[in-house]
């Protein structure tokens, strides 16, 4: 978290803000609402996007009425009523979305900037390895499905969900085109997916989505039955190493809560700002697979 006395580095914040606007454009249509932009995904698979502040908007700040106009459009399209932004960049937006009836959730935003060094990769349990997967990897469907199972069973404690739940989720995502969508994004170079495997079994996976010299680590999820082994941290380290090896200078992520943020600090990430997500209801923290999960 940050405070008025310790604001994020403006240049780094500008880069992340440009990233937040650019990354959805590879898979979504941007609809202009003046001070706000609504991203509407193309096709019927993949994560739904959100509305956020329009970069470079030089008019009045967004009002509750602006937020309501976007909400009406989201309802018209059958989309989740969701807004995302960085508190330190657009502090005035919170009052507007709350006045429109939404609930705001705070999530720590952590960063590895150009001058920051990543921590060494943690030691892995015996027979476990982390690999960056190609689009045609036989493990891809299970790697795509792991975060869905993980975020459907939030928290960091070991749970019962395991191989059977993973197989069911992978079958669903294969049938509805979700796996093919990720495979295409890997082929296009807009998504990198890393997975922790024990033999042929996928236990943990996550992604980073580079745009120029900035990338976000998203959807790091561990199969509940395989938690508490450091796998999420190992996958995160592999994603960071891949990003840095391919010219990325800034890597960031949003953690579901402070407990998870402490885990990512062990990977070298440092607290930077506060990511805000506004929704009508109050889901359990960690439900959004864009957020960093358990390690």
């Amino acid at each position: 978290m940050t405070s008025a006395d310790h604001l994020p580095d403006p240049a780094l914040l500008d880069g992340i803000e440009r990233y937040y606007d650019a990354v959805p454009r590879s898979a979504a249509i941007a609809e202009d609402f003046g001070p706000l932009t609504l991203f509407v995904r193309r096709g019927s698979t993949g994560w739904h996007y959100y509305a956020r502040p329009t970069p470079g908007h030089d008019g009045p700040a967004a009002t509750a009425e602006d937020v309501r106009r976007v909400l009406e459009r989201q309802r018209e399209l059958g989309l989740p009523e969701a807004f995302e932004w960085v508190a330190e960049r657009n502090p005035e937006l919170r009052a507007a979305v709350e006045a429109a009836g939404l609930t705001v959730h705070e999530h720590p935003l952590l960063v590895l900037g150009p001058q920051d060094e990543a921590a060494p990769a943690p030691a892995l349990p015996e027979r476990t390895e982390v690999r960056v997967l190609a689009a045609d990897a036989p493990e891809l469907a299970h790697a795509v499905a792991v975060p869905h199972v993980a975020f459907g069973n939030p928290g960091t404690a070991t749970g019962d969900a395991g191989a059977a739940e993973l197989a069911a989720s992978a079958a669903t995502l294969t049938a509805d085109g979700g796996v093919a969508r990720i495979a295409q994004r890997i082929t296009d170079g807009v998504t990198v997916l890393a997975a922790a495997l024990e033999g042929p079994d996928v236990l943990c996976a996550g992604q980073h989505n580079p745009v120029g010299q900035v990338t976000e680590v998203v959807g790091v999820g561990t199969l509940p039955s395989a938690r508490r082994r450091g796998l999420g941290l190992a996958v995160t380290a592999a994603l960071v190493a891949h990003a840095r090896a391919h010219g990325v200078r800034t890597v960031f992520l949003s953690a579901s809560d402070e407990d998870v943020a402490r885990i990512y600090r062990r990977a070298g990430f440092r607290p930077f700002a506060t990511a805000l997500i506004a929704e009508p209801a109050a889901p359990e923290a960690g439900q959004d697979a864009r957020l960093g999960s358990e390690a």
Side-chain angles (χ1 to χ4, degrees), residues 10-104:
L12 203 53
L13 187 57
D14 284 346
I16 291 175
E17 186 70 13
R18 288 192 296 271
Y19 176 94
Y20 271 135
D21 179 73
V23 74
R25 295 178 185 270
S26 66
I29 298 167
E31 296 191 2
D32 181 11
F33 286 82
L36 300 169
T37 298
L38 172 63
F39 292 104
V40 180
R41 76 177 182 188
R42 297 187 182 96
S44 59
T45 63
W47 303 111
H48 282 293
Y49 289 99
Y50 40 80
R52 68 178 326 278
T54 301
H57 177 72
D58 57 5
T63 64
E65 185 55 37
D66 293 319
V67 175
R68 292 188 187 101
R69 288 175 53 228
V70 175
L71 288 171
E72 289 174 4
R73 178 60 172 160
Q74 289 172 320
R75 292 165 189 154
E76 176 187 344
L77 296 173
L79 304 178
E81 299 169 23
F83 289 71
E84 297 188 13
W85 72 102
V86 178
E88 291 77 5
R89 182 70 180 213
N90 295 96
E92 74 290 337
L93 184 55
R94 181 167 190 157
V97 299
E98 288 179 336
L102 300 180
T103 300
V104 177

Side-chain angles (χ1 to χ4, degrees), residues 129 131-146 166 170 179 193 195-197 199-202 205:
E129 62 172 334
R131 296 204 311 264
V132 172
L133 299 184
D136 60 353
E139 305 91 353
L140 186 66
H142 280 199
V144 172
V146 162
L166 181 59
V179 175
L193 189 152
L197 303 102
D201 299 327
V202 177

Side-chain angles (χ1 to χ4, degrees), residues 99-163:
L102 300 180
T103 300
V104 177
H105 309 279
E106 298 185 359
H107 301 281
L109 193 154
L110 298 95
V111 70
L112 270 169
Q115 308 305 319
D116 298 323
E117 290 191 14
L124 291 170
E126 188 178 357
R127 297 181 55 242
T128 304
E129 62 172 334
V130 175
R131 296 204 311 264
V132 172
L133 299 184
D136 60 353
E139 305 91 353
L140 186 66
H142 280 199
V144 172
V146 162
H148 290 260
V149 178
F151 285 90
N153 297 269
T156 61
T158 303
D160 294 330

Side-chain angles (χ1 to χ4, degrees), residues 219-235:
V220 178
T222 302
L223 200 63
S225 61
R227 287 172 177 162
R228 301 286 188 172
R229 303 185 196 177
L231 299 178
L233 198 57
V235 166

Side-chain angles (χ1 to χ4, degrees), residues 173-200:
L173 289 164
T174 299
D176 71 12
V179 175
R181 182 185 68 87
I182 295 298
Q184 187 60 55
R185 288 181 62 84
I186 292 171
T187 298
D188 294 342
V190 294
T191 287
V192 176
L193 189 152
L197 303 102
E198 186 176 82

